[in-house]
Amino acid sequence: MDMCGRYYVDDDTAKEIEKVIRQVNQKLRAQKAAHDTMSDGYSDMSAIRSGDIYPTAFAPVIEAGYGAGGKAAECRCRMLRWGIPGYTLKGGSGKGQVLFNARSETAMEKPTFREAVRSRRVVIPAAGFYEWNPKKEKYQFWRPDSKALFMAGCMNRYEDGDRFVILTTAANESMEPVHERMPLVLEPDEVGSWIWDDERTKSLLEKESCLLERRTDYEQMTLF
């Protein structure tokens, strides 16, 4: 896997989701004059609970919402399951495993993710995430300038419901000492563009994630 399978949300995450959805929807209202079709988009906020999130768990994502006639109308928050089902390792092992990451560099080329990246992009909010170095030492990463970070993702539909993956990119200097990959972190003002703007998909897939703060029990806290 490209990165570890755990991130976390806290008490401030829901507030930050509300904030960014409000900002995105205000822009949509201004662009489309869709006051009569847009709701607040916060239907699942009450389901958000603080704590660690693992693959196969339900987690909040920000996605496109649609009004009457299937017309794009708003951004909204919904609880989706993390990880797409069903791959088998060589030799027939690995049954029941899930894919929870996709490489941003190749996602639009891979049959598993191509259509999802083209038309079902989502944003995964988190307070931060964890990663382990080759020595199995655990590190915690977060944005020093915000109470939440927003990770680019995409989702697909399955018999048991919609599921999402997180897109990863090459590590920047704040991540390189721990791991060669990291989540593709969007700026708050890129959230709406990632979800709605098909013309910006490729450029956002190629962007470099922001620098993060990291902390571990094994070294002094480091700020980049």
Side-chain angles (χ1 to χ4, degrees):
M1 295 297 176
D2 287 334
M3 58 167 282
C4 80
R6 197 193 319 177
Y7 65 96
Y8 62 97
V9 298
D10 61 18
D11 292 339
D12 289 321
T13 305
K15 296 177 183 177
E16 293 302 306
I17 296 172
E18 288 184 347
K19 179 180 177 181
V20 76
I21 288 178
R22 186 179 299 111
Q23 291 171 345
V24 172
N25 284 346
Q26 285 174 347
K27 290 182 180 179
L28 289 171
R29 288 188 179 99
Q31 293 169 0
K32 300 179 181 181
H35 298 268
D36 57 335
T37 62
M38 296 180 69
S39 66
D40 290 334
Y42 311 147
S43 57
D44 283 313
M45 289 298 173
S46 62
I48 299 173
R49 296 289 183 270
S50 296
D52 290 355
I53 296 175
Y54 300 81
T56 74
F58 282 91
V61 304
I62 303 171
E63 64 171 5
Y66 296 89
K71 293 182 179 181
E74 64 184 16
C75 280
R76 65 185 182 186
C77 179
R78 185 159 66 106
M79 303 297 288
L80 297 185
R81 193 181 294 276
W82 182 21
I84 65 175
Y87 75 93
T88 303
L89 301 176
K90 291 183 179 179
S93 62
K95 184 177 181 181
Q97 298 295 312
V98 297
L99 290 170
F100 48 85
N101 299 147
R103 286 179 173 253
S104 61
E105 300 92 334
T106 59
M108 294 192 76
E109 304 167 6
K110 299 290 186 180
T112 304
F113 306 112
R114 183 169 53 224
E115 187 58 32
V117 172
R118 287 177 177 173
S119 60
R120 291 187 290 276
R121 297 181 297 275
V122 298
V123 174
I124 301 93
F129 63 90
Y130 304 106
E131 188 54 80
W132 283 257
N133 67 12
K135 296 180 181 180
K136 307 300 182 183
E137 296 168 340
K138 179 183 175 183
Y139 287 77
Q140 181 182 6
F141 292 85
W142 71 97
R143 290 194 68 144
D145 59 345
S146 176
K147 295 180 180 178
L149 55 83
F150 298 94
M151 301 178 285
C154 59
M155 66 88 132
N156 262 327
R157 296 184 170 96
Y158 298 91
E159 290 184 359
D160 63 346
D162 296 344
R163 293 170 174 253
F164 72 91
V165 296
I166 295 172
L167 291 164
T168 68
T169 188
N172 60 29
E173 62 183 278
S174 62
M175 189 76 187
E176 283 175 345
V178 179
H179 200 279
E180 64 180 8
R181 305 290 297 180
M182 68 183 298
L184 180 59
V185 179
L186 301 168
E187 296 302 311
D189 62 2
E190 294 173 333
V191 168
S193 297
W194 173 251
I195 292 173
W196 294 106
D197 192 345
D198 295 342
E199 294 182 358
R200 289 196 62 190
T201 300
K202 187 175 185 298
S203 64
L204 289 171
L205 284 170
E206 295 172 349
K207 76 182 294 285
E208 182 176 324
S209 293
C210 62
L211 297 177
L212 302 173
E213 191 170 355
R214 73 171 184 253
R215 179 173 57 208
T216 180
D217 294 337
Y218 304 96
E219 71 174 15
Q220 185 176 0
M221 183 173 65
T222 304
L223 175 64
F224 288 85

